[in-house]
């Protein structure tokens, strides 16, 4: 049973544009929602995270929007750059365990 | 965040053999985790390793196949036993951060079983 659904599977955005990745969860017990960025041949790196009592969190060009009632959250990358090309995973945490989404391969084109 | 290293970084193994993967952290951590990431797929938690106690395995993973050791607060090993080609994956260790919900990942061990 997949508890965190992520879309799209792949995304192509022009340089300077906004990249948006969406996730939805089912288990209302989840209480922490991180996003990870993974480059080829590397381990996932924590990018930004949010708790369900906050509707939005911004760190630089990265913003998480969180809709608790809809059980959805999304990652927005503003002014997307070629260096942002990577695979992004959303995740949800409960009981010190992370459940990951299926990943989005983001490609930023010039 | 913690600095995490894994050995080996990659390996090619024959079916029926076993491989032990090491995970070293530069600071003491309570919880360590082992994940599997199959090619082009997401991460799946194998087990949680707490120092001084037996590892806790997730559904679908058993100790006989994936024995784990956690001898101290900075080190853990995962053994992939009696390997088959289906075990070809990236194996990642992670550790809990100071904010205990956060996890930081090592670079991974890329395993190919022939």
């Amino acid at each position: 049973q997949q508890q965190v659904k992520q879309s799209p599977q792949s995304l192509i955005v022009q340089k300077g544009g906004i990249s948006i990745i969406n996730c939805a969860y089912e288990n209302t017990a989840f209480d922490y929602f991180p996003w990870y960025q993974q480059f080829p041949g590397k381990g996932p790196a924590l990018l930004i995270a949010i708790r369900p009592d906050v509707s939005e969190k911004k760190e630089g060009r990265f913003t998480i929007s969180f809709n608790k009632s809809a059980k959805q959250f999304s990652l927005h990358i503003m002014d997307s750059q070629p260096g942002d090309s990577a695979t992004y995973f959303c995740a949800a945490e409960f009981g010190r365990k992370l459940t990951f989404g299926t990943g989005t391969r983001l490609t930023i084109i010039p | 965040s913690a600095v995490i290293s894994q050995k080996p970084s990659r390996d090619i193994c024959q079916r029926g053999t076993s491989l032990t993967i090491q995970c070293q952290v530069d600071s003491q951590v309570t919880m360590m985790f082992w994940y599997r990431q199959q090619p082009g797929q997401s991460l799946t938690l194998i087990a949680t390793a707490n120092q001084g106690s037996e590892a806790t395995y997730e559904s679908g993973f058993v100790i006989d196949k994936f024995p784990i050791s956690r001898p101290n607060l900075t080190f853990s090993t995962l053994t992939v036993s009696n390997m088959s080609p289906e075990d070809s994956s990236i194996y990642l260790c992670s550790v809990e951060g100071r904010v205990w919900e956060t996890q930081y990942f090592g670079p991974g061990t890329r395993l190919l079983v022939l």
Side-chain angles (χ1 to χ4, degrees):
Chain A
Q1 179 185 2
Q2 181 188 354
Q3 296 190 50
V4 181
K5 296 183 179 180
Q6 183 172 346
S7 62
Q9 187 174 10
S10 63
L11 180 63
I12 299 174
V13 175
Q14 261 192 319
K15 179 182 175 182
I18 302 173
S19 304
I20 302 173
I21 304 171
N22 300 297
C23 284
Y25 62 96
E26 301 167 3
N27 186 354
T28 55
F30 288 137
D31 55 10
Y32 184 73
F33 300 87
W35 284 88
Y36 285 85
Q37 179 189 56
Q38 186 176 31
F39 293 104
K42 305 292 185 182
L46 180 63
L47 191 61
I48 187 173
I50 197 168
R51 300 181 192 279
D53 55 345
V54 176
S55 61
E56 185 176 282
K57 183 175 182 180
K58 183 177 181 179
E59 290 184 359
R61 296 185 294 110
F62 300 92
T63 299
I64 299 178
S65 296
F66 189 86
N67 186 329
K68 188 175 182 178
S69 61
K71 294 188 286 185
Q72 296 175 348
F73 58 110
S74 59
L75 176 69
H76 292 63
I77 305 174
M78 312 299 288
D79 187 26
S80 300
Q81 299 297 312
D84 297 330
S85 296
T87 300
Y88 293 80
F89 292 96
C90 64
E93 187 271 347
F94 173 69
R96 303 168 96 167
K97 295 182 181 179
L98 287 173
T99 300
F100 283 84
T102 49
T104 296
R105 179 171 289 184
L106 174 65
T107 302
I108 307 301
I109 57 175
Chain B
S1 62
V3 176
I4 306 165
S5 60
Q6 286 186 232
K7 289 182 181 179
S9 59
R10 59 179 67 242
D11 208 340
I12 301 173
C13 300
Q14 297 297 317
R15 71 169 64 211
T17 63
S18 298
L19 176 72
T20 295
I21 302 168
Q22 300 178 7
C23 179
Q24 180 77 52
V25 191
D26 69 340
S27 58
Q28 294 184 338
V29 295
T30 303
M31 302 292 284
M32 296 181 77
F33 307 85
W34 286 98
Y35 288 82
R36 181 174 71 184
Q37 185 177 24
Q38 294 178 305
Q41 302 298 315
S42 186
L43 288 81
T44 301
L45 180 63
I46 296 172
T48 301
N50 196 0
Q51 195 268 336
S53 63
E54 294 289 323
T56 302
Y57 290 82
E58 297 300 302
S59 176
F61 299 96
V62 294
I63 187 171
D64 289 346
K65 176 67 175 177
F66 297 101
I68 289 171
S69 77
R70 181 78 201 275
N72 57 51
L73 291 173
T74 63
F75 187 78
S76 178
T77 66
L78 169 76
T79 299
V80 187
S81 303
N82 187 25
M83 289 183 286
S84 67
E86 291 71 34
D87 294 320
S88 298
S89 289
I90 302 171
Y91 291 86
L92 296 145
C93 72
S94 74
V95 304
E96 239 176 20
R98 292 185 178 182
V99 176
W100 59 264
E101 298 99 332
T102 61
Q103 288 187 26
Y104 300 97
F105 284 83
T109 295
R110 283 144 187 83
L111 171 63
L112 177 63
V113 183
L114 302 177

